[in-house]
Amino acid sequence: MWVSSKPSSLDSSALSFRSFISPVQIPNSNPSISNSRPSSSSINCSLKELRGRIESVKNTQKITEAMKLVAAAKVRRAQEAVVNARPFSETLVEVLYSINEQLQVEDVDVPLTSVRPVKKVALVVVTGDRGLCGGFNNMILKKAEARIRELKTLGLEYVVISVGKKGNSYFSRRPYIPVDKFLDGSNLPTAKEAQAIADDVFSLFVSEEVDKVELLYTKFVSLVKSDPVIHTLLPLSPKGEICDINGVCVDAAEDEFFRLTTKEGKLTVERDVVRAETIDFSPILQFEQDPVQILDALLPLYLNSQILRALQESLASELAARMTAMGNATDNAVELKKNLSQVYNRRRQAKITGEILEIVAGADALV
Amino acid sequence: MTLNLCVLTPNRIVWDSEVKEIILSTNSGQIGVLPNHAPIATSVDIGILRIRLNDQWLTMALMGGFARIGNNEITVLVNDAEKSGDIDPQEAQQTLEIAEAALRKAEGKRQTIEANLALRRARTRVEAINAIS
Protein backbone atom coordinates (compact mmCIF):
# COMPACT_ATOMS: atom_id res chain seq x y z
CA MET A 1 0.00 0.00 0.00
CA TRP A 2 2.73 2.43 0.92
CA VAL A 3 4.65 1.51 -2.16
CA SER A 4 1.69 2.23 -4.36
CA SER A 5 0.89 5.57 -2.77
CA LYS A 6 4.42 6.93 -2.76
CA PRO A 7 5.14 7.17 -6.47
CA SER A 8 1.74 8.65 -7.11
CA SER A 9 2.34 11.46 -4.63
CA LEU A 10 5.73 12.06 -6.22
CA ASP A 11 4.07 12.25 -9.62
CA SER A 12 1.61 14.82 -8.50
CA SER A 13 4.31 16.92 -6.90
CA ALA A 14 6.21 16.89 -10.13
CA LEU A 15 3.14 18.01 -12.01
CA SER A 16 2.39 21.00 -9.84
CA PHE A 17 3.67 22.12 -6.51
CA ARG A 18 0.71 24.39 -6.10
CA SER A 19 -1.38 21.57 -4.69
CA PHE A 20 0.91 21.50 -1.66
CA ILE A 21 0.50 25.19 -1.08
CA SER A 22 -3.24 25.20 -1.49
CA PRO A 23 -4.96 25.06 1.91
CA VAL A 24 -7.85 22.98 0.61
CA GLN A 25 -5.56 20.04 0.16
CA ILE A 26 -4.58 19.69 3.82
CA PRO A 27 -8.01 18.92 5.37
CA ASN A 28 -8.70 16.64 2.43
CA SER A 29 -5.61 14.56 3.04
CA ASN A 30 -6.31 13.97 6.72
CA PRO A 31 -9.48 11.91 6.47
CA SER A 32 -8.02 9.94 3.58
CA ILE A 33 -5.44 8.40 5.90
CA SER A 34 -8.07 7.19 8.36
CA ASN A 35 -10.18 5.72 5.54
CA SER A 36 -9.42 2.72 3.43
CA ARG A 37 -6.13 3.77 1.88
CA PRO A 38 -5.90 2.47 -1.68
CA SER A 39 -9.17 3.88 -3.04
CA SER A 40 -9.02 7.28 -1.37
CA SER A 41 -5.36 7.85 -2.15
CA SER A 42 -5.98 7.12 -5.83
CA ILE A 43 -8.83 9.64 -5.87
CA ASN A 44 -6.81 12.15 -3.93
CA CYS A 45 -3.91 11.75 -6.27
CA SER A 46 -5.99 12.11 -9.41
CA LEU A 47 -7.59 15.20 -7.91
CA LYS A 48 -4.15 16.68 -7.48
CA GLU A 49 -3.19 15.55 -10.91
CA LEU A 50 -6.32 17.06 -12.35
CA ARG A 51 -5.56 20.32 -10.65
CA GLY A 52 -2.08 20.24 -12.09
CA ARG A 53 -3.38 19.57 -15.52
CA ILE A 54 -5.95 22.34 -15.29
CA GLU A 55 -3.20 24.70 -14.21
CA SER A 56 -0.90 23.73 -17.08
CA VAL A 57 -3.69 24.00 -19.64
CA LYS A 58 -4.47 27.43 -18.26
CA ASN A 59 -0.86 28.50 -18.68
CA THR A 60 -0.70 27.11 -22.20
CA GLN A 61 -3.85 28.97 -23.06
CA LYS A 62 -2.31 32.21 -21.84
CA ILE A 63 0.75 31.67 -24.00
CA THR A 64 -1.16 30.76 -27.14
CA GLU A 65 -3.48 33.69 -26.69
CA ALA A 66 -0.55 36.07 -26.31
CA MET A 67 1.12 34.62 -29.40
CA LYS A 68 -2.06 35.10 -31.35
CA LEU A 69 -2.28 38.74 -30.37
CA VAL A 70 1.37 39.33 -31.17
CA ALA A 71 0.95 37.73 -34.59
CA ALA A 72 -2.09 39.90 -35.25
CA ALA A 73 -0.12 43.03 -34.41
CA LYS A 74 2.74 41.91 -36.63
CA VAL A 75 0.45 41.25 -39.58
CA ARG A 76 -0.42 44.91 -39.34
CA ARG A 77 3.25 45.83 -39.52
CA ALA A 78 3.83 43.49 -42.43
CA GLN A 79 0.99 45.19 -44.21
CA GLU A 80 2.53 48.60 -43.57
CA ALA A 81 5.78 47.39 -45.10
CA VAL A 82 3.96 46.40 -48.25
CA VAL A 83 2.24 49.77 -48.41
CA ASN A 84 5.61 51.52 -47.95
CA ALA A 85 7.00 49.55 -50.86
CA ARG A 86 4.20 50.61 -53.14
CA PRO A 87 5.50 54.01 -54.35
CA PHE A 88 8.66 52.31 -55.50
CA SER A 89 7.04 49.41 -57.29
CA GLU A 90 4.41 51.64 -58.85
CA THR A 91 6.95 54.05 -60.27
CA LEU A 92 9.14 51.19 -61.36
CA VAL A 93 6.35 49.46 -63.21
CA GLU A 94 5.36 52.76 -64.81
CA VAL A 95 8.91 53.43 -66.02
CA LEU A 96 9.49 49.86 -67.13
CA TYR A 97 6.27 49.90 -69.06
CA SER A 98 6.99 53.12 -70.91
CA ILE A 99 10.57 52.16 -71.68
CA ASN A 100 9.40 48.86 -73.04
CA GLU A 101 6.99 50.73 -75.25
CA GLN A 102 9.92 52.66 -76.69
CA LEU A 103 12.06 49.56 -76.98
CA GLN A 104 9.51 47.41 -78.75
CA VAL A 105 11.06 48.20 -82.11
CA GLU A 106 14.61 47.44 -81.05
CA ASP A 107 16.06 44.04 -80.47
CA VAL A 108 17.35 44.23 -76.94
CA ASP A 109 19.73 41.76 -75.45
CA VAL A 110 20.09 42.01 -71.70
CA PRO A 111 21.83 39.29 -69.65
CA LEU A 112 18.89 38.89 -67.32
CA THR A 113 16.49 38.25 -70.17
CA SER A 114 18.54 35.71 -72.09
CA VAL A 115 16.58 32.50 -72.45
CA ARG A 116 18.96 29.57 -72.59
CA PRO A 117 18.16 25.89 -72.88
CA VAL A 118 17.62 24.87 -69.28
CA LYS A 119 20.13 22.47 -67.79
CA LYS A 120 20.17 23.55 -64.18
CA VAL A 121 17.52 25.29 -62.12
CA ALA A 122 17.99 27.28 -58.93
CA LEU A 123 15.15 27.14 -56.44
CA VAL A 124 14.86 29.93 -53.92
CA VAL A 125 12.78 28.53 -51.06
CA VAL A 126 11.38 31.08 -48.65
CA THR A 127 10.37 29.69 -45.26
CA GLY A 128 9.74 31.18 -41.86
CA ASP A 129 12.14 31.55 -38.96
CA ARG A 130 9.93 30.05 -36.30
CA GLY A 131 7.49 27.23 -35.84
CA LEU A 132 4.10 27.21 -34.11
CA CYS A 133 2.37 28.42 -37.22
CA GLY A 134 0.40 25.38 -38.31
CA GLY A 135 1.40 23.84 -41.60
CA PHE A 136 3.02 26.96 -43.01
CA ASN A 137 6.62 25.73 -43.19
CA ASN A 138 5.63 22.20 -44.09
CA MET A 139 3.49 23.32 -46.98
CA ILE A 140 6.24 25.29 -48.66
CA LEU A 141 8.85 22.58 -48.03
CA LYS A 142 6.53 19.96 -49.48
CA LYS A 143 6.06 22.17 -52.50
CA ALA A 144 9.84 22.39 -52.83
CA GLU A 145 10.20 18.62 -52.54
CA ALA A 146 7.53 18.12 -55.19
CA ARG A 147 9.28 20.56 -57.51
CA ILE A 148 12.63 18.83 -56.94
CA ARG A 149 11.07 15.48 -57.84
CA GLU A 150 9.58 17.04 -60.95
CA LEU A 151 12.96 18.41 -61.99
CA LYS A 152 14.57 15.04 -61.35
CA THR A 153 12.08 13.26 -63.58
CA LEU A 154 12.79 15.84 -66.26
CA GLY A 155 16.45 15.01 -65.88
CA LEU A 156 17.45 18.51 -64.86
CA GLU A 157 19.97 19.50 -62.27
CA TYR A 158 18.91 21.74 -59.43
CA VAL A 159 20.32 23.73 -56.60
CA VAL A 160 18.50 25.20 -53.60
CA ILE A 161 18.92 28.60 -52.04
CA SER A 162 17.26 28.42 -48.67
CA VAL A 163 15.88 31.50 -46.97
CA GLY A 164 14.66 31.27 -43.38
CA LYS A 165 15.76 29.19 -40.37
CA LYS A 166 13.16 26.44 -40.77
CA GLY A 167 14.17 25.77 -44.34
CA ASN A 168 17.84 25.90 -43.39
CA SER A 169 17.47 23.20 -40.76
CA TYR A 170 15.31 21.13 -43.10
CA PHE A 171 17.85 21.19 -45.91
CA SER A 172 20.88 20.76 -43.69
CA ARG A 173 19.32 17.55 -42.39
CA ARG A 174 19.10 16.34 -46.00
CA PRO A 175 22.61 16.38 -47.38
CA TYR A 176 21.54 14.80 -50.67
CA ILE A 177 19.85 18.04 -51.70
CA PRO A 178 22.48 20.42 -53.08
CA VAL A 179 22.20 23.79 -51.35
CA ASP A 180 24.00 26.81 -52.69
CA LYS A 181 23.45 29.12 -49.79
CA PHE A 182 21.67 29.37 -46.47
CA LEU A 183 20.25 32.80 -45.79
CA ASP A 184 18.47 34.00 -42.71
CA GLY A 185 15.16 35.72 -42.85
CA SER A 186 14.23 38.33 -40.32
CA ASN A 187 11.31 39.83 -38.51
CA LEU A 188 10.79 42.45 -41.14
CA PRO A 189 12.20 41.88 -44.63
CA THR A 190 14.24 44.80 -45.86
CA ALA A 191 15.77 45.71 -49.18
CA LYS A 192 19.13 44.50 -47.86
CA GLU A 193 17.94 40.93 -47.49
CA ALA A 194 16.23 41.04 -50.84
CA GLN A 195 19.49 42.41 -52.21
CA ALA A 196 21.46 39.52 -50.73
CA ILE A 197 19.17 37.04 -52.43
CA ALA A 198 19.13 39.05 -55.65
CA ASP A 199 22.95 39.22 -55.71
CA ASP A 200 23.21 35.49 -55.28
CA VAL A 201 20.61 34.73 -57.90
CA PHE A 202 22.09 37.32 -60.24
CA SER A 203 25.61 35.93 -60.09
CA LEU A 204 24.36 32.35 -60.46
CA PHE A 205 22.40 33.30 -63.53
CA VAL A 206 24.91 35.65 -65.19
CA SER A 207 27.81 33.26 -64.70
CA GLU A 208 25.61 30.68 -66.48
CA GLU A 209 25.78 28.23 -63.59
CA VAL A 210 22.02 28.03 -63.72
CA ASP A 211 19.68 28.74 -66.58
CA LYS A 212 16.50 29.36 -64.67
CA VAL A 213 15.68 30.71 -61.24
CA GLU A 214 12.44 29.89 -59.52
CA LEU A 215 11.13 31.49 -56.39
CA LEU A 216 9.04 29.34 -54.05
CA TYR A 217 7.15 31.32 -51.50
CA THR A 218 3.80 31.47 -49.79
CA LYS A 219 1.38 33.86 -51.36
CA PHE A 220 -0.81 35.73 -48.97
CA VAL A 221 -4.42 35.36 -50.03
CA SER A 222 -6.28 36.12 -46.84
CA LEU A 223 -5.85 35.72 -43.12
CA VAL A 224 -7.08 32.14 -43.31
CA LYS A 225 -5.75 31.19 -46.70
CA SER A 226 -2.29 31.26 -48.19
CA ASP A 227 -0.90 29.34 -51.13
CA PRO A 228 2.61 28.09 -51.73
CA VAL A 229 3.45 29.22 -55.24
CA ILE A 230 6.26 28.90 -57.74
CA HIS A 231 7.27 32.05 -59.53
CA THR A 232 9.87 32.18 -62.27
CA LEU A 233 12.30 34.92 -61.37
CA LEU A 234 14.82 34.62 -64.16
CA PRO A 235 15.08 34.88 -67.08
CA LEU A 236 12.92 37.95 -67.23
CA SER A 237 11.07 38.22 -70.47
CA PRO A 238 11.88 41.47 -72.28
CA LYS A 239 8.32 42.67 -71.90
CA GLY A 240 8.76 42.87 -68.18
CA GLU A 241 6.25 40.12 -67.76
CA ILE A 242 6.77 37.17 -65.52
CA CYS A 243 5.34 33.80 -66.34
CA ASP A 244 4.59 31.27 -63.66
CA ILE A 245 5.22 27.59 -64.02
CA ASN A 246 1.99 26.98 -65.92
CA GLY A 247 2.97 29.56 -68.48
CA VAL A 248 0.37 31.98 -67.23
CA CYS A 249 1.64 35.51 -67.53
CA VAL A 250 1.49 37.75 -64.54
CA ASP A 251 1.31 41.19 -65.97
CA ALA A 252 3.86 43.55 -64.49
CA ALA A 253 1.47 46.47 -64.80
CA GLU A 254 -0.91 44.82 -62.41
CA ASP A 255 -0.09 45.48 -58.85
CA GLU A 256 -1.71 43.45 -56.15
CA PHE A 257 -1.55 44.26 -52.51
CA PHE A 258 -3.43 43.28 -49.45
CA ARG A 259 -4.99 45.46 -46.89
CA LEU A 260 -5.94 44.62 -43.36
CA THR A 261 -9.04 46.35 -42.11
CA THR A 262 -11.32 46.07 -39.19
CA LYS A 263 -14.86 45.14 -40.02
CA GLU A 264 -17.41 44.83 -37.23
CA GLY A 265 -14.68 44.26 -34.69
CA LYS A 266 -13.09 41.45 -36.66
CA LEU A 267 -10.00 41.46 -38.76
CA THR A 268 -10.64 41.10 -42.44
CA VAL A 269 -8.45 41.34 -45.45
CA GLU A 270 -9.11 43.12 -48.65
CA ARG A 271 -7.03 42.40 -51.63
CA ASP A 272 -6.93 45.13 -54.17
CA VAL A 273 -5.82 44.94 -57.73
CA VAL A 274 -4.56 48.28 -58.81
CA ARG A 275 -3.97 49.04 -62.42
CA ALA A 276 -0.77 51.05 -62.54
CA GLU A 277 -1.34 54.16 -64.56
CA THR A 278 1.00 54.74 -67.39
CA ILE A 279 0.26 58.27 -68.39
CA ASP A 280 2.01 61.62 -68.52
CA PHE A 281 5.28 60.15 -69.55
CA SER A 282 7.02 62.68 -71.71
CA PRO A 283 7.24 61.52 -75.30
CA ILE A 284 10.36 63.60 -75.93
CA LEU A 285 12.23 61.71 -73.29
CA GLN A 286 15.87 61.17 -74.14
CA PHE A 287 17.91 58.24 -73.07
CA GLU A 288 21.14 59.29 -71.50
CA GLN A 289 22.65 55.89 -72.20
CA ASP A 290 21.93 53.08 -74.54
CA PRO A 291 18.44 51.73 -73.93
CA VAL A 292 20.04 48.38 -73.27
CA GLN A 293 22.09 49.87 -70.47
CA ILE A 294 19.04 51.47 -68.96
CA LEU A 295 17.19 48.19 -69.03
CA ASP A 296 20.26 46.67 -67.48
CA ALA A 297 19.91 49.08 -64.58
CA LEU A 298 16.17 48.67 -64.30
CA LEU A 299 15.84 44.92 -64.38
CA PRO A 300 17.94 44.24 -61.26
CA LEU A 301 15.73 46.77 -59.50
CA TYR A 302 12.71 44.91 -60.70
CA LEU A 303 14.24 41.63 -59.58
CA ASN A 304 14.95 43.11 -56.19
CA SER A 305 11.47 44.45 -55.68
CA GLN A 306 9.99 41.11 -56.79
CA ILE A 307 12.05 39.29 -54.19
CA LEU A 308 11.19 41.80 -51.52
CA ARG A 309 7.53 41.41 -52.34
CA ALA A 310 7.84 37.63 -52.04
CA LEU A 311 9.58 37.95 -48.67
CA GLN A 312 6.88 40.29 -47.42
CA GLU A 313 4.07 38.05 -48.63
CA SER A 314 5.74 35.05 -47.06
CA LEU A 315 6.07 36.85 -43.74
CA ALA A 316 2.45 37.97 -43.83
CA SER A 317 1.36 34.40 -44.58
CA GLU A 318 3.47 33.07 -41.73
CA LEU A 319 1.97 35.53 -39.29
CA ALA A 320 -1.54 34.83 -40.50
CA ALA A 321 -0.92 31.09 -40.20
CA ARG A 322 0.39 31.59 -36.69
CA MET A 323 -2.64 33.66 -35.81
CA THR A 324 -4.99 30.89 -36.97
CA ALA A 325 -2.97 28.12 -35.37
CA MET A 326 -2.74 29.93 -32.07
CA GLY A 327 -6.42 30.84 -32.20
CA ASN A 328 -7.25 27.16 -32.61
CA ALA A 329 -4.88 26.20 -29.82
CA THR A 330 -6.53 28.71 -27.52
CA ASP A 331 -9.97 27.34 -28.36
CA ASN A 332 -8.79 23.81 -27.65
CA ALA A 333 -7.24 24.87 -24.37
CA VAL A 334 -10.48 26.52 -23.31
CA GLU A 335 -12.44 23.37 -24.08
CA LEU A 336 -9.93 21.10 -22.39
CA LYS A 337 -9.93 23.29 -19.34
CA LYS A 338 -13.71 23.19 -19.21
CA ASN A 339 -13.81 19.39 -19.44
CA LEU A 340 -11.08 18.94 -16.88
CA SER A 341 -12.66 21.26 -14.36
CA GLN A 342 -15.97 19.51 -14.86
CA VAL A 343 -14.40 16.16 -14.02
CA TYR A 344 -12.48 17.74 -11.16
CA ASN A 345 -15.58 19.29 -9.63
CA ARG A 346 -17.59 16.13 -10.03
CA ARG A 347 -14.93 14.08 -8.26
CA ARG A 348 -14.55 16.60 -5.51
CA GLN A 349 -18.27 16.65 -4.91
CA ALA A 350 -18.44 12.86 -4.91
CA LYS A 351 -15.69 12.78 -2.35
CA ILE A 352 -17.37 15.35 -0.12
CA THR A 353 -20.66 13.47 -0.35
CA GLY A 354 -18.88 10.30 0.67
CA GLU A 355 -17.28 12.01 3.62
CA ILE A 356 -20.56 13.47 4.81
CA LEU A 357 -22.18 10.05 4.55
CA GLU A 358 -19.39 8.59 6.65
CA ILE A 359 -19.69 11.28 9.29
CA VAL A 360 -23.46 10.86 9.49
CA ALA A 361 -23.09 7.09 9.71
CA GLY A 362 -20.48 7.50 12.43
CA ALA A 363 -22.72 9.88 14.41
CA ASP A 364 -25.58 7.38 14.06
CA ALA A 365 -23.41 4.59 15.37
CA LEU A 366 -22.43 6.69 18.41
CA VAL A 367 -26.08 7.32 19.29
CA MET B 1 10.68 77.18 -61.11
CA THR B 2 11.27 74.70 -58.35
CA LEU B 3 12.90 71.36 -58.76
CA ASN B 4 11.48 68.41 -56.90
CA LEU B 5 13.55 65.38 -56.00
CA CYS B 6 12.12 62.03 -55.03
CA VAL B 7 14.45 59.19 -54.02
CA LEU B 8 12.69 55.84 -53.68
CA THR B 9 14.00 52.52 -52.41
CA PRO B 10 12.02 49.28 -52.31
CA ASN B 11 11.04 49.75 -48.69
CA ARG B 12 10.72 53.46 -48.15
CA ILE B 13 10.85 56.97 -49.50
CA VAL B 14 14.26 58.38 -48.64
CA TRP B 15 13.80 61.88 -49.96
CA ASP B 16 10.80 63.73 -51.27
CA SER B 17 11.17 67.50 -51.29
CA GLU B 18 12.34 70.53 -53.15
CA VAL B 19 16.03 70.99 -54.02
CA LYS B 20 18.06 73.61 -55.88
CA GLU B 21 20.44 71.37 -57.74
CA ILE B 22 21.68 67.80 -57.76
CA ILE B 23 24.72 66.00 -59.07
CA LEU B 24 23.98 62.44 -60.03
CA SER B 25 26.46 59.66 -60.82
CA THR B 26 25.22 57.91 -63.92
CA ASN B 27 26.78 55.04 -65.78
CA SER B 28 28.22 57.49 -68.29
CA GLY B 29 29.62 59.94 -65.75
CA GLN B 30 28.28 62.57 -63.42
CA ILE B 31 25.52 64.90 -64.52
CA GLY B 32 24.32 68.04 -62.81
CA VAL B 33 20.61 68.79 -62.87
CA LEU B 34 19.23 72.32 -62.49
CA PRO B 35 15.61 73.43 -62.81
CA ASN B 36 14.09 73.15 -66.27
CA HIS B 37 16.32 70.30 -67.30
CA ALA B 38 15.49 68.48 -70.51
CA PRO B 39 13.54 65.27 -69.90
CA ILE B 40 15.92 62.36 -69.79
CA ALA B 41 16.03 58.82 -68.52
CA THR B 42 19.29 57.48 -67.20
CA SER B 43 20.64 54.58 -65.28
CA VAL B 44 22.26 55.40 -61.94
CA ASP B 45 25.53 53.80 -61.03
CA ILE B 46 26.62 52.74 -57.57
CA GLY B 47 27.88 56.13 -56.50
CA ILE B 48 27.17 59.30 -54.61
CA LEU B 49 24.36 61.77 -55.11
CA ARG B 50 25.02 65.37 -54.12
CA ILE B 51 22.05 67.54 -53.31
CA ARG B 52 22.11 71.32 -52.93
CA LEU B 53 19.61 72.96 -50.60
CA ASN B 54 20.17 76.71 -50.89
CA ASP B 55 23.87 76.88 -50.02
CA GLN B 56 24.20 73.58 -48.30
CA TRP B 57 25.39 70.41 -49.95
CA LEU B 58 24.13 67.02 -48.82
CA THR B 59 25.55 63.69 -49.86
CA MET B 60 23.82 60.39 -50.28
CA ALA B 61 25.18 56.98 -51.20
CA LEU B 62 23.14 55.34 -53.96
CA MET B 63 23.35 51.62 -54.65
CA GLY B 64 22.56 51.58 -58.33
CA GLY B 65 19.30 52.07 -60.09
CA PHE B 66 17.51 54.38 -62.42
CA ALA B 67 16.52 58.04 -62.65
CA ARG B 68 13.93 59.90 -64.62
CA ILE B 69 14.08 63.64 -65.04
CA GLY B 70 11.34 65.70 -66.58
CA ASN B 71 8.86 68.44 -65.79
CA ASN B 72 11.10 69.64 -62.97
CA GLU B 73 10.53 66.31 -61.30
CA ILE B 74 13.42 63.99 -60.58
CA THR B 75 12.52 60.44 -59.68
CA VAL B 76 15.41 58.27 -58.56
CA LEU B 77 14.73 54.57 -58.11
CA VAL B 78 17.55 52.77 -56.34
CA ASN B 79 18.14 49.51 -54.55
CA ASP B 80 19.27 51.29 -51.45
CA ALA B 81 20.10 54.82 -50.46
CA GLU B 82 21.78 56.13 -47.34
CA LYS B 83 22.27 59.70 -46.27
CA SER B 84 25.87 60.36 -45.35
CA GLY B 85 24.81 61.34 -41.83
CA ASP B 86 23.26 57.92 -41.30
CA ILE B 87 26.41 55.99 -42.17
CA ASP B 88 28.71 54.91 -39.36
CA PRO B 89 32.23 55.86 -40.57
CA GLN B 90 34.00 53.09 -38.70
CA GLU B 91 31.60 50.43 -39.85
CA ALA B 92 31.83 51.66 -43.45
CA GLN B 93 35.64 51.61 -43.36
CA GLN B 94 35.61 48.09 -41.95
CA THR B 95 33.19 46.90 -44.60
CA LEU B 96 35.48 48.38 -47.24
CA GLU B 97 38.47 46.48 -45.89
CA ILE B 98 36.50 43.24 -45.74
CA ALA B 99 35.32 43.78 -49.33
CA GLU B 100 38.89 44.44 -50.52
CA ALA B 101 40.10 41.27 -48.84
CA ALA B 102 37.22 39.30 -50.36
CA LEU B 103 38.10 40.49 -53.85
CA ARG B 104 41.72 39.42 -53.45
CA LYS B 105 40.61 35.98 -52.37
CA ALA B 106 37.89 35.63 -55.00
CA GLU B 107 38.18 32.68 -57.35
CA GLY B 108 36.17 32.07 -60.45
CA LYS B 109 33.85 34.29 -62.40
CA ARG B 110 30.99 34.25 -59.98
CA GLN B 111 32.91 35.15 -56.85
CA THR B 112 34.67 37.95 -58.67
CA ILE B 113 31.36 39.46 -59.77
CA GLU B 114 30.03 39.34 -56.22
CA ALA B 115 33.22 40.70 -54.66
CA ASN B 116 33.42 43.54 -57.17
CA LEU B 117 29.87 44.62 -56.46
CA ALA B 118 30.44 44.50 -52.72
CA LEU B 119 33.64 46.51 -53.04
CA ARG B 120 31.99 49.23 -55.09
CA ARG B 121 29.16 49.52 -52.59
CA ALA B 122 31.57 49.75 -49.69
CA ARG B 123 33.71 52.32 -51.46
CA THR B 124 30.72 54.51 -52.23
CA ARG B 125 29.67 54.56 -48.61
CA VAL B 126 33.11 55.68 -47.52
CA GLU B 127 33.18 58.31 -50.27
CA ALA B 128 29.81 59.64 -49.15
CA ILE B 129 31.16 60.31 -45.68
CA ASN B 130 34.40 61.86 -46.87
CA ALA B 131 32.65 64.15 -49.34
CA ILE B 132 31.36 66.26 -46.46
CA SER B 133 34.62 66.97 -44.74
Side-chain angles (χ1 to χ4, degrees), chain A residues 124-143:
Chain A
V124 182
V125 184
V126 184
T127 55
D129 268 359
R130 267 174 278 178
L132 286 181
C133 44
F136 170 80
N137 287 314
N138 269 336
M139 283 218 300
I140 190 74
L141 288 171
K142 256 186 206 151
K143 187 91 178 171

Side-chain angles (χ1 to χ4, degrees), chain A residues 76-324:
Chain A
R76 234 164 235 284
R77 258 183 34 213
Q79 173 229 350
E80 254 167 48
V82 172
V83 172
N84 284 345
R86 297 205 69 228
F88 182 84
S89 54
E90 263 175 20
T91 322
L92 187 61
V93 163
E94 191 185 312
V95 171
L96 203 57
Y97 184 86
S98 48
I99 284 182
N100 273 318
E101 290 280 280
Q102 303 191 21
L103 289 183
Q104 287 296 310
V105 279
E106 292 176 61
D107 187 26
V108 284
D109 182 33
V110 186
L112 289 183
T113 62
S114 66
V115 182
R116 301 188 287 261
V118 179
K119 286 192 290 289
K120 193 167 181 179
V121 180
L123 300 169
V124 182
V125 184
V126 184
T127 55
D129 268 359
R130 267 174 278 178
L132 286 181
C133 44
F136 170 80
N137 287 314
N138 269 336
M139 283 218 300
I140 190 74
L141 288 171
K142 256 186 206 151
K143 187 91 178 171
E145 281 281 3
R147 183 68 190 146
I148 285 171
R149 268 200 303 278
E150 235 173 83
L151 290 175
K152 264 185 191 162
T153 51
L154 286 171
L156 298 173
E157 281 182 81
Y158 61 89
V159 66
V160 172
I161 298 162
S162 167
V163 184
K165 284 203 187 99
K166 284 282 160 188
N168 291 355
S169 64
Y170 180 89
F171 288 114
S172 53
R173 265 184 277 124
R174 285 163 182 74
Y176 53 88
I177 297 174
V179 180
D180 182 71
K181 218 170 211 176
F182 292 110
L183 293 163
D184 270 345
S186 79
N187 286 335
L188 214 54
T190 59
K192 260 205 183 98
E193 280 139 38
Q195 182 81 62
I197 300 167
D199 277 357
D200 201 48
V201 162
F202 182 82
S203 58
L204 268 177
F205 189 79
V206 172
S207 64
E208 304 199 0
E209 269 183 46
V210 297
D211 311 296
K212 193 164 185 253
V213 181
E214 288 173 357
L215 184 65
L216 282 83
Y217 69 100
T218 315
K219 201 174 174 64
F220 185 92
V221 182
S222 76
L223 277 179
V224 287
K225 190 179 186 317
S226 47
D227 286 328
V229 291
I230 300 175
H231 181 125
T232 302
L233 212 54
L234 290 172
L236 297 167
S237 75
K239 276 185 168 176
E241 282 174 338
I242 295 285
C243 295
D244 71 3
I245 198 64
N246 302 320
V248 182
C249 274
V250 182
D251 197 355
E254 208 168 295
D255 185 26
E256 262 188 317
F257 82 115
F258 60 93
R259 195 195 285 155
L260 193 72
T261 55
T262 323
K263 201 183 262 177
E264 291 156 15
K266 293 211 169 162
L267 295 170
T268 55
V269 169
E270 288 171 14
R271 212 182 162 97
D272 288 5
V273 177
V274 179
R275 220 44 228 180
E277 286 185 18
T278 46
I279 40 152
D280 68 6
F281 196 68
S282 171
I284 49 162
L285 187 88
Q286 289 175 2
F287 290 118
E288 182 71 15
Q289 288 94 12
D290 232 19
V292 176
Q293 262 189 342
I294 287 179
L295 261 187
D296 233 356
L298 266 176
L299 293 181
L301 278 182
Y302 184 69
L303 185 68
N304 207 337
S305 82
Q306 286 285 322
I307 293 173
L308 187 65
R309 164 67 60 86
L311 289 180
Q312 282 169 339
E313 290 232 7
S314 174
L315 181 78
S317 313
E318 183 192 342
L319 292 171
R322 180 164 299 130
M323 237 173 92
T324 332

Side-chain angles (χ1 to χ4, degrees), chain A residues 35 194 253 255 328 356 360:
Chain A
N35 292 333
D255 185 26
N328 287 342
I356 289 172
V360 170

